[in-house]
Amino acid sequence: MTSDPLLALRPWEAPEVTSWGRLPMNAVDRRSGALPLDGDWNFQLLPAPDAPVGGPWSTAYVPGVWTMQSIQGADDLPQYTNIRMPYAEFPPLSPVYRNPTGVYERTVDIPAEWTGRRIVLQVGAAESVLLVQVDGRPVGLSKDSHLAADFDLTPFVRPGERATVRLTVVKWSDASHIEDQDQWWHGGITRSVLLYATDPLYLADVTVRAAYSGELRVDCRVRDAGGALPAGWYVTGELDGRLLAQDAEFDRANVEDERVSDFLGEVRLHTTVADVRTWNAETPELYGLSVRLHRADATVADTSYHRIGFRDVEIVGRNLLVNGERVFIRGVNRHDFHPLTGRTVSYDDMRADLVLLKRFGFNAIRTAHYPNDPGLYDLADELGFYVVDEADIEAHDHAHEIADDPRYLNAFVDRVSRMVLRDKNHPSVIIWSLGNESDYGANHDAAAGWVRRHDPTRPIQYEGAAKLDWAATDDASDIACPMYAPLEDCVAHALSGEQTRPLVQCEYSHAMGNSNGTLADHWAAIESTPGLQGGFIWEFWDHGILQDVNDGRPVGRGGAGLYDNGVAAPGLRWAYGGDFGETIHDGAFIADGVVFPDRTPKPAMYEHREIAAPVRIECFRHEGIVLGNHQHFRGLDWLAGEWELSLADGDTLTAPARLPDLRPGETAVVPLPFEVPREGGEAWLTLRVTTSRDEAWAPRGTVVCLPQVRLREAAPVPASPENRSVEVDADGLLVHPLLTAAPTLSLWRAPTDNDELGGMALRWRTWGLDSLVRKTVSVREDDGRVTVVAEYAGTLGVVRHRQVLTPVEGGVRIDEEAELSAEFDDVARVGSVFETVAGLDLLEWFGQGPWESYPDRSAGAPVGHHSVPVDELFTPYLRPQESGGRHGVRRFTLSAPDATGLTVALDEPRQVSVTRYRAEDLTSVTHHDRLEPRAGCVVHLDAAHRGLGTASCGPDTFPSYLVAPGVHRWSWTLRTL
Ligand code: GAL
Ligand code: MG
């Protein structure tokens, strides 16, 4: 086999060359009826594109990246960098001698019945340069790792005969410099390869415009492989059985303007659908559109099928409107990711992603940071998501040089225009994005100009354009779409009177590790501030790759089922940056999603679900409960409800709820379903809202939200003193049969990713909070009650802590006080920590739950009676850190199966955590699989606990969630069961 003569042009160093021999992109789906070429291909990995092919062949699976497959002789593993390019060469260059290049080869039997037809090869996606050869003859090349490339093979193959197809994929190129997205670097063919045949007379493109009014316009472009179009061809269209009319006005105008061509046929079909069922993310109504191209004798030469939706999107003033409504964008950023295949995602995988997002209240996706797999858009249309479709342009490391570099001009326009041409008929796509983090230059304006002309029906956004001046009106962005902007800046902008365009953050609430603090505060502001419309959480996935700890290799496609509930099976782990031996990498910054690598939702998802609740309890008045419909388009008939009354001093009572018939924005009063006893402790009313029928994304009975209101305040319950004494040891530490470590002061937590990257953890370590030395100052006994004063010394000074231990009926009351001097202006927590004997494996509590919650992430955890095995309380964040907390705990019981154990009553709702790990256990290892659970429980109860914030990338928590210096007091009662 000769190597490809195209290689002689060194196209991987030529940004001006975006393709050669590639067919124009279009919206005609050729996947059905095609000959699939997926499966094992002969494969060899060359050290560089100009190295000779000739080594032994092994096999590689297509679609798939070679970096995730254990292929003999192919030792190129995944590498993670965020901003930095993994090599030093300046654009457009890449490493000359170390540029892994995969050569894929296989034979294909060209069907004999394709005689006379136009035969096309489609490569779904390859990164980063694709060269195509058939039987040793060069066919073409393509760049853009996230869009398909089609090549006309008709001149190269003969139906009924066998052809050898070779796909050469060069990993590093000029294109890599504009594909510098924050994700793993891979190499290979990531989407399906197929061969399809059309009649020489074919539909070159179909453009659908379906408006909210019911008006439908379908523009068809027709070509013939032979050049001139044959006489007498025509196009018909059918929408769910009704025939479309050919627009004679359009034809006449074309004739008058002398625009009729022998080589390009143009037809417009139209109709207006009366009583049209319109599309929006809540009720994604779709119609089936078939377009048929006929020869003069009425036989069908070509067909194109589309699922279309009637909807409008427009910007009016500072509002982004869908069908005239100012919709909230409850979005997430989504990469094409899979822990076994890297970048290859199946239709079922994507459906599972979107189903999960719907169940947790999301209604929008930004395809960060490139056009996602085509199946995603079909699913978004069907399940109902607003999509910001983003072009594959991120020049992060060399942004400034590239944005205005004329050598890259073609690539910018090519990538943006091909995305638009592919995805323009999806009702879900409401905004085009010009890419990510590439500064702002003339290349962006060129691409924006192309879109504005080609598709005037959708707005454009680009963070880099709008970033310097949110109120500008003359840049390449119709939306101010900042990332991680402080909430107060957004609100101030909206109130300034200067706002000119909608403000929807393209990224906010960075979900790295234990995060997403202040999400509820963000949404309270968004929903109450005209001009703010939402944003896209960063991001959906933790991109952990399933790795075999023994050989250090990715497990790959065979690993299905080797993980559960966010945790990898023994001997395996979720790899992040550096785990494949890379020296240049960005560590765990790749694990920053709201779901684990296996799509298990993190606790933050429950917070989001509640914030997005379609029906809410507005307040409780004496006539009853005020309910409101917070959707934009839908009534409440798709929902069912059940009331739950949780009594602190009793059980949980339930009663059926009838949801009122409310249109969006309306409220109604419904009677209180329970007689609440006059006396007693706290009482909380929860409306458990579920789907009343099967939805495409949720079977009937799926929980949608759990809005809640407090009906009665807590009443203090005095504990009666006892005539016993409390036992303490010589250091004043409580002696208790169920405790293996007595309660001491804790000011430290295992730093979260936010604590680390935000700089707080560094300060805490500098202050010595991770290794405080306790010194007993005095122990005094007085009438059975013991007062212990201790000092905890760090490097910043001493924290004085006092415990008063009073015997009470059945146990001991502990009144504590700690005084933090002004220098300790931001500690992780102030509270008690103790450890229990083994065997107390069930936690039951009255407070917020059942899932993990923290002071600034607790809106989604209703107050009630909860019960969870201790081993399930901990959240297995990839890099171990503070985890497993429960907010607003009033009392809890830790018990063994024989009902022995201990119970704690707290003076006020407090932050509590019960885990198998000390903070130092968590900080001593880098991966979850290295944690050794302790047999007993490590219990923290905090007078104050710092919020989580999002400082790993973006704003920290708000001052109101910080732990202030000064005197902290808390008290609790410990009893044995
Ligand atoms: C943004 C960027 C994302 C990701 C994120 C941090 O700046 O657009 O790609 O890097 O920060 O996780
Ligand atoms: Mg970046």
mmCIF file of all heavy atoms in Angstrom, residues 82-83 180 182 394 396 436-437, ligand 2:
data_model
loop_
_atom_site.group_PDB
_atom_site.id
_atom_site.type_symbol
_atom_site.label_atom_id
_atom_site.label_comp_id
_atom_site.label_asym_id
_atom_site.label_seq_id
_atom_site.Cartn_x
_atom_site.Cartn_y
_atom_site.Cartn_z
ATOM 1 N N ASN A 82 -6.849 21.287 30.670
ATOM 2 C CA ASN A 82 -7.934 22.257 30.590
ATOM 3 C C ASN A 82 -7.593 23.314 29.538
ATOM 4 O O ASN A 82 -8.100 23.282 28.417
ATOM 5 C CB ASN A 82 -8.147 22.848 31.993
ATOM 6 C CG ASN A 82 -9.054 24.060 32.007
ATOM 7 O OD1 ASN A 82 -9.752 24.329 31.029
ATOM 8 N ND2 ASN A 82 -9.057 24.804 33.087
ATOM 9 N N ILE A 83 -6.701 24.224 29.887
ATOM 10 C CA ILE A 83 -6.382 25.318 28.971
ATOM 11 C C ILE A 83 -5.130 25.011 28.151
ATOM 12 O O ILE A 83 -5.122 25.172 26.932
ATOM 13 C CB ILE A 83 -6.174 26.625 29.778
ATOM 14 C CG1 ILE A 83 -7.463 26.986 30.521
ATOM 15 C CG2 ILE A 83 -5.732 27.766 28.855
ATOM 16 C CD1 ILE A 83 -7.312 28.093 31.544
ATOM 17 N N ASP A 180 -9.184 23.085 21.644
ATOM 18 C CA ASP A 180 -8.531 23.032 22.959
ATOM 19 C C ASP A 180 -9.582 23.160 24.061
ATOM 20 O O ASP A 180 -9.501 24.023 24.931
ATOM 21 C CB ASP A 180 -7.490 24.151 23.020
ATOM 22 C CG ASP A 180 -6.724 24.159 24.328
ATOM 23 O OD1 ASP A 180 -6.722 23.116 25.011
ATOM 24 O OD2 ASP A 180 -6.148 25.210 24.665
ATOM 25 N N ASP A 182 -11.772 21.973 27.362
ATOM 26 C CA ASP A 182 -11.451 21.412 28.667
ATOM 27 C C ASP A 182 -12.027 19.996 28.759
ATOM 28 O O ASP A 182 -13.140 19.791 29.231
ATOM 29 C CB ASP A 182 -12.068 22.327 29.737
ATOM 30 C CG ASP A 182 -11.829 21.821 31.148
ATOM 31 O OD1 ASP A 182 -11.177 20.779 31.318
ATOM 32 O OD2 ASP A 182 -12.315 22.485 32.083
ATOM 33 N N GLU A 394 -12.550 26.213 20.029
ATOM 34 C CA GLU A 394 -12.013 26.733 21.287
ATOM 35 C C GLU A 394 -10.496 26.793 21.155
ATOM 36 O O GLU A 394 -9.807 25.775 21.091
ATOM 37 C CB GLU A 394 -12.408 25.893 22.507
ATOM 38 C CG GLU A 394 -11.722 26.458 23.746
ATOM 39 C CD GLU A 394 -12.310 26.047 25.091
ATOM 40 O OE1 GLU A 394 -13.438 25.537 25.127
ATOM 41 O OE2 GLU A 394 -11.607 26.270 26.096
ATOM 42 N N HIS A 396 -8.445 28.090 23.351
ATOM 43 C CA HIS A 396 -8.151 28.640 24.671
ATOM 44 C C HIS A 396 -6.692 29.049 24.914
ATOM 45 O O HIS A 396 -6.402 30.186 25.278
ATOM 46 C CB HIS A 396 -8.617 27.648 25.746
ATOM 47 C CG HIS A 396 -8.988 28.317 27.019
ATOM 48 N ND1 HIS A 396 -9.872 27.794 27.917
ATOM 49 C CD2 HIS A 396 -8.583 29.488 27.545
ATOM 50 C CE1 HIS A 396 -9.998 28.613 28.938
ATOM 51 N NE2 HIS A 396 -9.221 29.648 28.733
ATOM 52 N N ASN A 436 -16.288 28.667 22.071
ATOM 53 C CA ASN A 436 -15.990 28.944 23.483
ATOM 54 C C ASN A 436 -14.564 29.447 23.640
ATOM 55 O O ASN A 436 -13.660 29.016 22.924
ATOM 56 C CB ASN A 436 -16.156 27.644 24.283
ATOM 57 C CG ASN A 436 -16.079 27.856 25.784
ATOM 58 O OD1 ASN A 436 -16.805 28.701 26.317
ATOM 59 N ND2 ASN A 436 -15.214 27.123 26.459
ATOM 60 N N GLU A 437 -14.366 30.350 24.554
ATOM 61 C CA GLU A 437 -13.058 30.771 25.055
ATOM 62 C C GLU A 437 -11.993 30.913 23.971
ATOM 63 O O GLU A 437 -10.948 30.276 24.034
ATOM 64 C CB GLU A 437 -12.601 29.802 26.155
ATOM 65 C CG GLU A 437 -13.562 29.839 27.313
ATOM 66 C CD GLU A 437 -13.110 29.052 28.540
ATOM 67 O OE1 GLU A 437 -12.611 27.934 28.360
ATOM 68 O OE2 GLU A 437 -13.288 29.558 29.655
HETATM 69 MG MG MG B 2 -11.367 26.292 28.063
#
